[in-house]
Amino acid sequence: MKIDIRAISRDIGALIKVDISLDPKQIGLEYDGFVFSEYVNFEGFIKSVAKGVMQLSGEVSTVIGANCDRCLRDTQIEISDELNVIFRTVNMQSGNLDIKTDDATEYYDEDEYTYRGYDLIPDKAVRDAVLLALPGKILCKDNCMRA
């Protein structure tokens, strides 16, 4: 999903509210053992933090269905986690990162995301946040005793 950031692109400190729902299949969330019962929701904001640098912050949430690792019962688990990532613009003509600012030259960090023009696409960042929030062990209840 594209978010138009034209309104905040030239005003450092400006932000826009973001409230989106993404189809898990459309953002590459299909895994054995997990069924995404709901869309992946993101509620937060995009803030212009420097020339060509945007911050996406908020909360990612969804519901997954899986089998309990102890008793194998079907169970539903709510997943939610904070998301706070940086997006940097890519120079449209050269395809290189446009990382020079008025104050200094900044260096590209591989953990950051990129955007082109006035379109910021948060799908990969949201997907990554969901993957990091998935539990290592699925339990139907905290005290499941393999009943």
Side-chain angles (χ1 to χ4, degrees), residues 13-27:
L15 57 90
I16 54 176
K17 186 175 178 174
V18 178
D19 189 0
I20 56 175
S21 294
L22 301 168
D23 182 344
K25 291 179 183 177
Q26 296 291 342
I27 60 173

Side-chain angles (χ1 to χ4, degrees), residues 15-140:
L15 57 90
I16 54 176
K17 186 175 178 174
V18 178
D19 189 0
I20 56 175
S21 294
L22 301 168
D23 182 344
K25 291 179 183 177
Q26 296 291 342
I27 60 173
L29 287 172
E30 292 184 277
Y31 292 95
D32 289 339
F34 294 114
V35 175
F36 286 84
S37 307
E38 295 181 4
Y39 274 39
V40 177
N41 301 303
F42 174 79
E43 187 174 340
F45 63 88
I46 299 173
K47 180 179 181 180
S48 175
V49 293
K51 182 180 178 186
V53 181
M54 300 290 164
Q55 175 184 12
L56 177 69
S57 295
E59 185 174 349
V60 174
S61 63
T62 191
V63 175
I64 62 168
N67 292 331
C68 175
D69 286 333
R70 290 187 182 155
C71 69
L72 300 178
R73 285 189 197 142
D74 288 337
T75 188
Q76 298 282 313
I77 297 176
E78 292 183 24
I79 304 280
S80 68
D81 202 6
E82 289 185 21
L83 175 63
N84 189 13
V85 295
I86 296 293
F87 281 80
R88 293 188 186 273
T89 189
V90 174
N91 186 315
M92 293 295 284
Q93 294 176 342
S94 69
N96 296 325
L97 284 168
D98 187 7
I99 56 176
K100 292 186 179 181
T101 64
D102 295 336
D103 301 328
T105 300
E106 299 178 24
Y107 296 95
Y108 175 64
D109 182 346
E110 291 180 6
D111 292 333
E112 295 174 349
Y113 299 90
T114 59
Y115 70 93
R116 291 184 181 271
Y118 297 112
D119 294 327
L120 189 144
I121 302 173
D123 299 14
K124 186 173 185 316
V126 170
R127 176 187 174 274
D128 291 350
V130 170
L131 290 175
L132 291 171
L134 289 174
K137 184 173 281 269
I138 304 289
L139 299 177
C140 59

